[in-house]
């Protein structure tokens, strides 16, 4: 009876425990498990029955424990980390600087203004047409076509205006200059006299004039007056895009489009001798003139260059040497020296030897590289500065002679000529005499190359 009572009690406890482990699932202990309990020898089934509930619950294999991250990853040396951070920062800064320079590069090269200095009539050139040329990229290029007078029409005023003012000065235009012809003539340092009676504009040569990098075409009107009188040519004077009243923004590509549009304008007029065209370029305008001439040599009779550089970044070395490293990304290169050997038309070089902006040796290099030109001549003005070479006595005379030599085919046997102009001065003293060849009476003569 005791044994029976004991087994009954154990059976109840086992059943209760097993029911708890299976969360209420009905179950009874097999007879052999009861027997095992009575004998004191637990069986495998008994062990499973009395195991904790967590043993009976389904389990998933656990992943092998990983070692701490700090034990597996190599540590970066602080100096290396600082180098990487600093390099990344400098690279980002350099990238921003490059992006900034690309955006403002045109502003560094070109210095236009919308200020206006009057019209040709104020400088003794009463016959002219207001010109607005529309380029193929829809920019409006503004300027004048200044026409030589009909012989029956008496000229108004003298050839040039006062020499006291530089073309870069912002001086007020004397609006009474054209009317006051007597004082206007006295103020001309060169006392220009026409080599022949004025021809009608339809039969005389025409000069396409390319100005420098600053201001606009109206600031060249004083200078143009002397060129107009001495050369006997019509003059097409336009402001590049972004200069003066012309629309758009300047760039090398855009300015060549402007130059091409100027040529198209002259050809389409129908009243201009399109077979007698000449090109004049001053400073950066010389670079424009050279590149333009290489494209249209068959239409150009001759090229005149004044104080022009070899290439733009040769000038950057002089003015902003720290920017020279950006030559490769610049959209403005103006490779004048590289283009010179491809020009075959006659070329006149007018070089101021006191030019402190464009070193005179650049003009010498351009002259030396123009090996294919049928006639090349360089005139060196000892006192000529960058902006005042044109004020030197005798300046226009060389231009007139050059045009006449080419037009009449009176080119010297030595087709490469170097001239050192005699004592020159920008003062208004006109008493210095000249010999029959047009040189001041100092005895200096042309020096053959």
């Amino acid at each position: 009876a005791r044994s029976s009572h004991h087994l009954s009690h154990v059976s109840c406890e086992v059943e209760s425990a097993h029911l708890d482990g299976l969360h209420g699932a009905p179950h009874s202990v097999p007879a052999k498990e009861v027997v095992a309990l009575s004998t004191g020898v637990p069986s495998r089934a008994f062990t499973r029955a009395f195991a904790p509930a967590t043993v009976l619950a389904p389990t998933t294999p656990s992943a092998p424990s990983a070692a701490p991250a700090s034990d597996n990853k190599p540590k970066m040396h602080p100096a290396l980390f600082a180098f990487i951070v600093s390099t990344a920062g400098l690279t980002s800064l350099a990238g921003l600087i490059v992006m900034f320079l690309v955006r403002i590069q045109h502003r560094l090269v070109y210095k236009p203004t919308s200020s206006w200095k009057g019209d040709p009539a104020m400088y003794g050139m009463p016959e002219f047409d207001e010109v607005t040329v529309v380029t193929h990229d829809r920019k409006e290029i503004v300027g004048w076509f200044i026409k030589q007078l009909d012989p029956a029409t008496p000229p108004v005023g003298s050839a040039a205006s006062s020499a006291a003012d530089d073309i870069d000065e912002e001086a007020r235009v004397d609006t009474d200059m054209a009317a006051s012809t007597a004082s206007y003539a006295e103020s001309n340092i060169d006392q220009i006299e026409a080599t022949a009676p004025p021809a009608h504009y339809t039969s005389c040569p025409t000069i396409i004039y390319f100005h420098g990098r600053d201001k606009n075409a109206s600031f060249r009107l004083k200078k143009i007056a002397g060129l107009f009188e001495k050369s006997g040519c019509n003059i097409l004077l336009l402001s590049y895009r972004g200069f003066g009243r012309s629309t758009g923004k300047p760039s090398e590509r855009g300015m060549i489009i402007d130059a091409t549009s100027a040529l198209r304008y002259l050809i389409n007029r129908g009243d201009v001798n399109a077979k007698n065209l000449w090109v004049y370029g001053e400073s950066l305008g010389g670079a424009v003139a050279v590149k333009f001439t290489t494209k249209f040599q068959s239409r150009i009779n001759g090229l005149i260059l004044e104080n022009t550089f070899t290439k733009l970044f040769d000038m950057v070395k002089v003015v902003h040497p720290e920017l020279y490293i950006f030559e490769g990304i610049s959209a403005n290169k103006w490779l004048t020296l590289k283009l010179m050997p491809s020009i075959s038309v006659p070329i006149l070089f007018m070089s101021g030897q006191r030019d402190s902006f464009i070193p005179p040796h650049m003009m010498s290099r351009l002259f030396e590289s123009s090996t294919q030109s049928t006639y090349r001549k360089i005139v060196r003005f000892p006192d000529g500065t960058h902006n005042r070479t044109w004020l030197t006595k005798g300046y226009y005379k060389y231009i007139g002679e050059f045009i006449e030599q080419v037009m009449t085919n009176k080119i010297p046997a030595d087709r490469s000529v170097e001239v050192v102009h005699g004592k020159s001065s920008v003062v208004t003293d006109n008493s210095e005499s000249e010999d029959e060849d047009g040189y001041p009476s100092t005895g200096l003569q042309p020096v053959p190359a």
Side-chain angles (χ1 to χ4, degrees):
R2 181 180 178 183
S3 176
S4 175
H5 175 74
H6 178 72
L7 289 175
S8 177
H9 177 71
V10 171
S11 177
C12 290
E13 288 182 354
V14 170
E15 183 174 357
S16 175
H18 200 58
L19 288 175
D20 290 341
L22 295 178
H23 303 287
H27 182 72
S28 60
V29 179
K32 61 180 180 179
E33 298 295 342
V34 175
V35 174
L37 289 173
S38 63
T39 60
V41 181
S43 69
R44 294 178 181 177
F46 177 83
T47 304
R48 285 196 301 269
F50 278 84
T54 54
V55 175
L56 298 177
T59 60
T60 55
S62 60
S65 58
S70 58
D71 295 338
N72 293 336
K73 293 184 179 179
K75 294 183 179 181
M76 182 180 294
H77 193 281
L80 176 61
F81 179 77
F83 172 76
I84 294 174
V85 171
S86 61
T87 301
L90 290 175
T91 302
S92 300
L93 178 61
L96 291 174
I97 292 175
V98 169
M99 291 175 61
F100 176 73
L101 290 175
V102 168
R103 290 183 62 87
I104 69 165
Q105 60 177 303
H106 302 314
R107 298 181 187 178
L108 296 175
V109 177
Y110 311 108
K111 304 295 182 182
T113 182
S114 58
S115 300
W116 210 240
K117 298 281 282 186
D119 60 37
M122 296 181 178
Y123 299 85
M125 299 172 286
E127 295 293 327
F128 63 92
D129 295 332
E130 297 275 358
V131 174
T132 299
V133 178
V134 179
T135 65
H136 72 73
D137 59 347
R138 302 184 182 280
K139 303 298 185 293
E140 294 185 355
I141 310 305
V142 179
W144 305 277
F145 177 67
I146 308 172
K147 300 183 287 188
Q148 286 291 332
L149 299 173
D150 189 306
T153 305
V156 178
S158 179
S161 62
S162 173
D165 298 328
D166 191 16
I167 60 172
D168 284 336
E169 294 177 355
E170 295 283 350
R172 178 180 59 86
V173 176
D174 185 357
T175 56
D176 297 328
M177 188 174 292
S180 181
T181 57
S183 60
Y184 185 43
E186 292 175 359
S187 67
N188 175 25
I189 66 164
D190 209 0
Q191 289 294 313
I192 301 298
E193 296 178 359
T195 57
H200 193 264
Y201 77 93
T202 59
S203 60
C204 63
T206 296
I207 295 175
I208 306 174
Y209 191 99
F210 297 118
H211 65 78
R213 75 171 189 142
D214 69 333
K215 306 297 192 294
N216 56 61
S218 69
F219 283 77
R220 274 68 182 180
L221 284 170
K222 290 180 180 182
K223 182 178 182 179
I224 291 297
L227 179 62
F228 175 78
E229 290 291 333
K230 189 61 178 179
S231 68
C233 300
N234 305 315
I235 297 178
L236 178 62
L237 176 63
L238 301 174
S239 293
Y240 310 116
R241 59 185 61 203
F243 286 74
R245 297 172 180 174
S246 299
T247 62
K249 295 181 180 180
S251 67
E252 180 173 353
R253 178 179 177 275
M255 291 160 72
I256 294 301
I257 293 175
D258 300 344
T260 304
S261 300
L263 175 62
R264 187 183 71 244
Y265 163 79
L266 288 174
I267 295 173
N268 291 341
R269 276 186 67 105
D271 60 348
V272 174
N273 186 355
K275 294 183 179 180
N276 201 354
L277 301 179
W278 301 73
V279 176
Y280 188 112
E282 64 169 49
S283 191
L284 183 138
V288 180
V290 167
K291 191 168 185 176
F292 170 75
T293 299
T294 60
K295 295 178 178 294
F296 301 102
Q297 292 197 67
S298 61
R299 293 187 176 274
I300 304 301
N301 285 29
L303 172 63
I304 303 167
L305 300 177
E306 176 197 345
N307 295 333
T308 300
F309 52 74
T310 48
K311 71 174 180 178
L312 180 62
F313 271 80
D314 286 344
M315 282 302 303
V316 171
K317 280 184 179 179
V318 176
V319 182
H320 298 293
E322 68 278 3
L323 299 180
Y324 185 77
I325 60 174
F326 298 104
E327 180 179 11
I329 64 172
S330 174
N332 301 281
K333 298 184 183 298
W334 296 115
L335 304 175
T336 310
L337 182 64
K338 183 178 179 180
L339 297 175
M340 292 305 297
S342 64
I343 297 179
S344 59
V345 302
I347 310 174
L348 174 64
F349 299 83
M350 307 289 276
S351 177
Q353 299 302 288
R354 291 177 56 198
D355 190 337
S356 60
F357 185 62
I358 296 180
H361 71 79
M362 291 191 182
M363 282 289 281
S364 296
R365 291 185 66 192
L366 295 178
F367 172 75
E368 293 163 0
S369 67
S370 58
T371 54
Q372 298 303 310
S373 173
T374 56
Y375 174 44
R376 57 178 178 171
K377 179 178 182 179
I378 185 168
V379 183
R380 295 186 173 92
F381 299 89
D383 290 339
T385 61
H386 186 69
N387 288 325
R388 290 177 175 261
T389 299
W390 66 277
L391 295 174
T392 303
K393 186 177 179 68
Y395 180 86
Y396 298 108
K397 189 177 184 68
Y398 290 108
I399 297 175
E401 288 176 347
F402 172 74
I403 293 175
E404 183 179 359
Q405 283 178 327
V406 175
M407 288 182 60
T408 60
N409 200 26
K410 293 181 179 179
I411 297 175
D414 188 344
R415 295 175 179 267
S416 181
V417 178
E418 295 187 56
V419 175
V420 178
H421 184 63
K423 182 180 179 181
S424 57
S425 178
V426 295
V427 298
T428 56
D429 181 8
N430 298 312
S431 61
E432 186 178 33
S433 61
E434 293 184 349
D435 59 27
E436 60 182 3
D437 294 324
Y439 296 93
S441 55
T442 56
L444 289 178
Q445 297 294 322
V447 180

